[in-house]
Amino acid sequence: MNDTPKFAVIGGGSWATAIAKMLCVNVPEITWYMRNTYAIEHIKLQKHNPNYLSSVEFDTSKLQLTDDINEAVAYADYIIFAIPSAFLSGELEKLTESLDGKVIFSAIKGIVPETSLIVGEHFHQKYNVPYDNIGVLTGPCHAEEVALEKLSYLTIACGDQKKAKIMGKHLDSYYINTKISDDIVGTEYAAMLKNIYAIAAGIAHGLGYGDNFQALLMSNAIREMKKFIRKVHRMKRNINNSAYLGDLLVTGYSVFSRNRMFGNMIGKGYTVKSAMMEMSMVAEGYYATKSAYNLNQEYGAKTPIIDAVYSILYEGKDAKNVFKKLTEKLD
C-alpha cells in the first residue's frame, strides 16, 4: 500500500466529526459514512454537523458523504471506526463489501457487547482482519478541544509500525501531535478502562467528595489499570505514558467527559435509566463496566474500583454505601 491511501470515517458523532476535521487538513478527499441522512444533507448545505461539534466548518469539496457503509468501505484503504461500541455489530451487519486488504483503525473506546471483545479482537476474530492491518487511535484527546484547535495529542498503535506512521502523518497538524505505539491490545484496553474510572470520578463528585479524594481515586485507578492490562496482555509498557495515564486523567477530570458526567448524575441520585435518557451522547463506560467485570472473573486482577462501579450500575447498590466501603480499600 502506498503512502497516500484513501480514508473513510465511519460514524456521525463528536469523535467521528473531530477525526474528519483532522484528516481534512492533510487529505484531499475523505469518505464519511453516517446513518443520519438529515445530518448528511445539512453538512452539504451548511458545512457543519448539526448534532455534534457544530462550530467545525468543513470544506465540503473534501467530503464524500454517504449513508451506505459499503460505499465507504469500497472507497477506502484506511477505515476509521468512530461509533459507540454498542452499535458496532449492527453497523457491521450491513457489510457486503469485503474487508480483505483494508486497514482498520478503531477510535472506539469500548467493548463490543455481543462478543465481549475489544474492537481490534472483534475485527480479527469475526472478520479475519490480520493484526498487522488493525490499529487503535487513542488520547488524551477530547473531540471538543479538537474542534477548538487546542493543542492535543494522539497515540496511534498498530502492529505494523509503517501503517501507524502513515496514519499519524495524515492526522498531524499544528494543533495535533501524534505518537506511535506497538501496544495495540494495551492501549485499547486502557481506552476502555479509563471510561469506567471516569464514571467512578463522576460518582465521587456527585456524592460530594472533593479534590483530595479524586486525586487518591485516580492514583489507585492507574495502578488498577496496570494490573488489569498486565493480566490480559503481558508486555513491556510504561503505564505512565500519555495513552494510559494521560487519557485516564483527561477523561476523569474534564468537563467534556461524558463518562464523568454520567457518573456525576448517578452520584446525585439519578437511576441508570434516567441518567442515560438525560444525556444526548453514549457513555461508553456503562457497557465497559459489565464487560471488564465479567472478563476479570476469568483473570482475577484486584479491581476494587471496577467492582464498585459494577455493583452500583448493574446490581442496583446504593452509591453512597458502596463508595464508603471503597474508601477503606484505597491507599
Side-chain angles (χ1 to χ4, degrees):
M1 188 174 293
N2 59 42
D3 285 352
T4 55
K6 294 178 179 177
F7 290 88
V9 178
I10 308 296
S14 56
W15 195 213
T17 304
I19 291 167
K21 172 183 168 67
M22 287 185 268
L23 284 172
C24 282
V25 174
N26 300 310
V27 179
E29 181 184 71
I30 66 168
T31 293
W32 187 1
Y33 162 78
M34 60 181 75
R35 294 182 300 169
N36 190 329
T37 54
Y38 166 74
I40 289 174
E41 293 309 313
H42 189 95
I43 294 169
K44 287 178 179 177
L45 292 171
Q46 304 296 332
K47 302 181 186 299
H48 64 86
N49 189 332
N51 302 315
Y52 302 94
L53 307 187
S54 57
S55 64
V56 175
E57 186 170 315
F58 286 97
D59 176 355
T60 52
S61 69
K62 290 189 169 188
L63 301 179
Q64 185 175 319
L65 293 152
T66 179
D67 63 354
D68 181 353
I69 192 171
N70 288 292
E71 183 181 339
V73 168
Y75 166 87
D77 303 307
Y78 280 56
I79 307 165
I80 304 171
F81 283 83
I83 56 179
S85 58
F87 306 144
L88 180 63
S89 284
E91 290 300 320
L92 291 176
E93 284 174 6
K94 302 173 185 176
L95 270 183
T96 54
E97 284 287 334
S98 172
L99 293 175
D100 288 350
K102 306 291 184 180
V103 180
I104 307 296
F105 271 85
S106 168
I108 300 171
K109 313 294 198 296
I111 291 275
V112 182
E114 292 83 356
T115 58
S116 295
L117 298 170
I118 53 176
V119 176
E121 290 176 338
H122 183 82
F123 275 106
H124 178 69
Q125 292 191 22
K126 296 294 181 180
Y127 294 90
N128 298 314
V129 180
Y131 278 119
D132 276 357
N133 279 358
I134 295 173
V136 178
L137 300 182
T138 188
C141 190
H142 274 304
E144 291 81 359
E145 291 203 348
V146 172
L148 297 168
E149 299 190 357
K150 290 184 177 290
L151 183 61
S152 301
Y153 292 77
L154 284 174
T155 298
I156 301 169
C158 185
D160 184 333
Q161 295 289 277
K162 182 181 177 183
K163 289 166 185 166
K165 288 174 182 175
I166 289 171
M167 179 60 76
K169 172 185 171 183
H170 290 89
L171 290 171
D172 262 327
S173 70
Y174 70 91
Y175 64 92
I176 298 292
N177 283 348
T178 57
K179 179 182 178 182
I180 306 305
S181 169
D182 62 352
D183 185 15
I184 313 170
V185 174
T187 53
E188 193 163 4
Y189 269 106
M192 179 267 285
L193 292 168
K194 53 97 175 183
N195 287 331
I196 305 172
Y197 300 128
I199 290 176
I203 293 172
H205 185 266
L207 289 170
Y209 289 90
D211 291 345
N212 293 338
F213 179 75
Q214 293 279 6
L216 179 77
L217 183 67
M218 290 296 101
S219 175
N220 278 262
I222 192 62
R223 283 178 278 158
E224 185 171 304
M225 179 188 287
K226 182 178 181 179
K227 292 173 186 173
F228 188 102
I229 297 175
R230 183 189 292 155
K231 288 276 188 180
V232 175
H233 182 65
R234 183 180 287 271
M235 67 172 283
K236 187 176 181 181
R237 63 174 63 87
N238 184 352
I239 204 72
N240 296 320
N241 282 347
S242 59
Y244 315 96
L245 178 58
D247 207 11
L248 169 66
L249 293 177
V250 75
T251 310
Y253 287 124
S254 175
V255 295
F256 294 126
S257 171
R258 67 195 69 169
N259 289 283
R260 180 186 167 92
M261 183 191 307
F262 176 72
N264 186 50
M265 294 168 77
I266 299 296
K268 288 183 181 296
Y270 282 72
T271 64
V272 170
K273 186 176 180 180
S274 61
M276 285 184 155
M277 289 175 66
E278 188 85 11
M279 292 180 65
S280 61
M281 297 182 288
V282 175
E284 289 275 21
Y286 170 74
Y287 303 102
T289 299
K290 185 176 183 179
S291 297
Y293 180 85
N294 289 338
L295 187 64
N296 198 43
Q297 301 312 298
E298 174 187 346
Y299 288 105
K302 189 177 179 183
T303 56
I305 303 173
I306 292 173
D307 296 347
V309 175
Y310 178 85
S311 70
I312 294 166
L313 298 186
Y314 288 93
E315 296 177 344
K317 292 187 179 176
D318 180 71
K320 186 176 181 180
N321 292 335
V322 170
F323 262 67
K324 188 175 185 305
K325 293 176 182 175
L326 179 62
T327 61
E328 299 166 1
K329 298 176 183 176
L330 305 181
D331 56 37

